[in-house]
Amino acid sequence: MDGRYLLDNKQSEAGIRFGALAELFDPVTFRHMDRLGTGKGMRCWEVGAGGPSIPLGLAERVGPTGSVLATDIDVSWTRDIADGVIEVRTHDVAADPPPAPPGGFDLVHARLVLVHVVDRAEALRRMVRALKPGGWLLLEDADPMLQPLPCPDESGPEQQLANRMRSDFRTLMAERGADLAYGRTLPRALREAGLADVQADAYFPITSPACAVLEHATVRQVRHLLVARGLATDEEIDHHLANVATGQLDLATGPMISAWGRRP
């Protein structure tokens, strides 16, 4: 990931987004981690940690005999959670050497990370190399092109405006190098990387209150870019944010695809 990343962790809205993403997706993420047998004494690498919820959840599972490495290009929201189990380190997964311990990691996980990384293939290779034999890679990434509408039930002008705003946001993401159809490629990418026992599923919420929190924070975070690019006016953005605040929009996220595979 580089300086072109659209959703800067240093902005105050980033913390709100991380909280909403945790509420929406942590149950899915931990369900998969538990299915893969994440437990006491394991060594785990959380790539592009962003917020603290996944490293903290992993630390609970691996206990004092395990370890969790949480890395990101900006550790603003995780640096304070470092303790005897969790290590926090600034790291670019596509450019820096894999920080693997001797023997490798039992679990490497990245959520909503690679869609933003320009050199996704190299980042994936580095994560695979960091696994121990038998270790699991769990990748979870968005595929907004599978279901591109924040309001799938486009029943009125408020929903139409929300859908247009999301399209404008995707334009900004694509300009920064995001692959908006990346999630669907994860199973094939894991197989081509040499992993075994590859499986995948997908999840996207509709009408969760956290969807509205995420939408409100995300639009505020990119507001200046939408206006500067001529994609939306301040008046349109204010109108959309007011609509979101009513709680009457049945907002959805793009599908998050989870795929996992084991290093032979």
Side-chain angles (χ1 to χ4, degrees):
M1 217 177 291
D2 59 23
R4 302 178 68 210
Y5 180 48
L6 184 63
L7 299 166
D8 187 355
N9 284 5
K10 290 185 172 63
Q11 294 176 276
S12 60
E13 290 87 356
I16 300 172
R17 292 185 64 258
F18 292 146
L21 290 169
E23 182 175 342
L24 291 168
F25 296 123
D26 276 9
V28 176
T29 294
F30 287 123
R31 172 169 58 85
H32 291 311
M33 289 181 173
D34 292 341
R35 282 182 59 192
L36 298 177
T38 307
K40 302 300 181 184
M42 294 180 68
R43 297 177 295 185
C44 304
W45 178 19
E46 177 64 17
V47 181
S53 67
I54 297 299
L56 290 171
L58 281 170
E60 291 179 3
R61 284 161 171 78
V62 304
T65 59
S67 64
V68 176
L69 175 62
T71 64
D72 206 326
I73 58 170
D74 183 343
V75 296
S76 301
W77 300 94
T78 52
R79 63 165 62 97
D80 293 337
I81 66 171
D83 59 18
V85 175
I86 301 173
E87 177 188 356
V88 178
R89 190 185 304 179
T90 302
H91 182 267
D92 184 335
V93 67
D96 299 331
F105 289 104
D106 297 282
L107 173 72
V108 176
H109 172 252
R111 185 175 76 187
L112 303 176
V113 173
L114 292 186
V115 68
H116 299 287
V117 176
V118 175
D119 196 349
R120 298 170 193 89
E122 180 59 25
L124 176 57
R125 283 191 290 269
R126 290 167 188 251
M127 285 189 280
V128 170
R129 287 202 300 268
L131 290 169
K132 76 172 190 179
W136 289 95
L137 176 61
L138 171 60
L139 296 182
E140 301 182 296
D141 237 314
D143 194 320
M145 297 309 292
L146 277 176
Q147 194 295 106
L149 303 177
C151 293
D153 179 19
E154 194 176 76
S155 57
E158 296 86 357
Q159 290 78 14
Q160 292 168 1
L161 177 59
N163 288 344
R164 205 199 88 202
M165 285 286 173
R166 184 67 60 83
S167 176
D168 294 339
F169 174 65
R170 290 198 303 272
T171 296
L172 293 177
M173 289 184 65
E175 290 176 350
R176 301 295 179 101
D179 182 348
L180 302 176
Y182 180 66
R184 73 191 70 179
T185 72
L186 288 177
R188 172 169 54 84
L190 294 185
R191 287 194 302 271
E192 290 177 350
L195 299 186
D197 302 325
V198 173
Q199 297 184 54
D201 66 15
Y203 170 78
F204 74 97
I206 301 176
T207 73
S208 166
C211 288
V213 174
L214 180 63
E215 177 72 8
H216 203 274
T218 301
V219 172
R220 292 204 323 267
Q221 193 165 3
V222 300
R223 174 182 192 132
H224 63 294
L225 297 172
L226 291 169
V227 173
R229 279 280 285 103
L231 296 169
T233 66
D234 279 314
E235 292 75 18
E236 288 170 327
I237 294 171
D238 287 339
H239 190 192
H240 174 57
L241 292 177
N243 292 337
V244 172
T246 68
Q248 298 303 303
L249 295 179
D250 291 325
L251 290 168
T253 69
M256 185 182 74
I257 296 177
S258 303
W260 53 95
R262 177 181 56 82
R263 181 173 180 178

